[in-house]
Amino acid sequence: HAKERGRNNYQFFSQDMNARAVERQLIETHLRLALERHEFTLHYQPKLDLESCRITGVEALLRWNHPEWGMTLPERFIRIAEECGLIIPIGRWILREACAQSVRWRDSGLAPVSIAINVSALEFRHRDFFTHATAVFTSSGVAPACLQLELTESVLMRDVAASAELLTKFKAIGVEIAVDDFGTGYSSLSYLNQFPIDVLKIDQSFVRAIDGTLDGNGAIVSAVIGMGRSLNQRVIAEGIENATQLDFLRLHGCSEGQGYFFSKPVDATRMREMLLG
Ligand code: C2E
Ligand code: MG
Ligand code: MG
Ligand code: MG
């Protein structure tokens, strides 16, 4: 009866909690060694101009090449890295590596390519973030105008005044600012013109739901594109997987896109070939 069921539920619940705690601990232990063992690498996904289909830039995406687990995706470890603070040294490695890659591509004869870097909440709010980032730009020799920082709405909204000040400092040295996963965070739109935002990245959940009609989801996507254009922000659709989505986005004036329909994230060598055309 009910009492027994309740007890069983509790047991299952606690077993599940326990399994998750064990998994979390295991990942944290391995994460602590991953940097010195050089297990991280960056993959790159192109962003394309939807009219010309030319590559307008790339997004750097972290990959963990674990000796036993193989290629491990961020969803399995990024949150844990944030919770235990390891995202700070890992984020610093990501910034150094992305800047170094930008310089390597340039030195190999490619035209300057814009690299977007994802920044987590903890990194963005870290008191040394700007000082450290600018030191990396200087020592790597990268042009800050070739860099874009991707931040989610919730990161920006946590402390609006502090975010605005920091974004303004990055903008002043030429770094571009993109709002990642747009439409899934806080619903307050008033911040859109308080922050110096260059790019809105429409979250993939909206793109996935495009069915070619202007009903419901389609109306939202179209409105977001219109809003970005009115505010002079570039709009990038994330997660384009098919021609229906692409056609709809083009028709409604979305300037850029990214997704498996064009390319999955690839390693730096493959990305260079794609950039060569
Ligand atoms: P995000 O920044 O929104 O990145 C987009 C994610 O969608 C990437 O997953 C990308 O591989 C995936 N994606 C791209 N096109 C498609 C598509 O057409 N269909 C589908 N289903 N997925 C697509 P990934 O690389 O696994 O990264 C997941 C999230 O992990 C990222 O979301 C970002 O929040 C975080 N992340 C990744 N790399 C970094 C990093 O270097 N630093 C930080 N702080 N976070 C990162
Ligand atoms: Mg991103
Ligand atoms: Mg995103
Ligand atoms: Mg995301």
Side-chain angles (χ1 to χ4, degrees), residues 7 11 13 71 104 111 123 133 175 186 195 228 236 249 272:
R7 206 181 300 138
Q11 239 174 37
F13 182 63
M71 196 58 89
R104 285 194 291 266
E123 294 174 85
V175 175
Y186 285 73
F195 297 141
I236 303 187
L249 290 159
R272 180 172 187 278

Side-chain angles (χ1 to χ4, degrees), residues 59-61 117-118 150 180-181 201 238 258:
E59 177 177 4
L61 293 158
I117 299 163
N118 292 283
E150 292 195 5
D180 204 350
D181 304 346
K201 298 191 77 178
E238 296 192 86
Q258 192 178 359

Side-chain angles (χ1 to χ4, degrees), residues 75-215:
E75 62 174 10
R76 196 156 163 218
F77 64 88
I78 280 277
R79 239 210 19 237
I80 296 168
E82 282 172 3
E83 283 165 8
C84 65
L86 280 169
I87 195 67
I88 299 298
I90 295 172
R92 290 181 168 181
W93 178 84
I94 292 166
L95 198 65
R96 281 200 307 277
E97 177 56 22
C99 292
Q101 188 58 63
S102 172
V103 171
R104 285 194 291 266
W105 277 333
R106 187 190 66 198
D107 290 350
S108 80
L110 285 185
V113 55
S114 161
I115 301 188
I117 299 163
N118 292 283
V119 178
S120 78
L122 205 66
E123 294 174 85
F124 188 65
R125 284 182 293 124
H126 192 279
R127 52 191 294 275
D128 293 333
F129 182 59
F130 182 78
T131 315
H132 175 262
T134 47
V136 172
F137 302 158
T138 306
S139 62
S140 64
V142 74
C146 284
L147 300 172
Q148 199 176 79
L149 300 182
E150 292 195 5
L151 301 138
T152 61
E153 293 164 76
S154 26
V155 172
L156 295 176
M157 291 304 288
R158 197 159 307 174
D159 182 342
V160 172
S163 296
E165 194 188 323
L166 190 49
L167 295 188
T168 303
K169 282 160 78 176
F170 276 109
K171 278 295 294 174
I173 59 167
V175 175
E176 286 196 319
I177 309 297
V179 181
D180 204 350
D181 304 346
F182 183 73
T184 60
Y186 285 73
S187 55
S188 163
L189 292 176
S190 59
Y191 75 91
L192 277 178
N193 54 20
Q194 294 175 37
F195 297 141
I197 294 166
D198 302 286
V199 174
L200 294 181
K201 298 191 77 178
I202 304 181
D203 189 66
Q204 8 188 313
S205 56
F206 298 102
V207 175
R208 195 172 304 128
I210 289 174
D211 60 5
T213 74
L214 261 176
D215 302 341

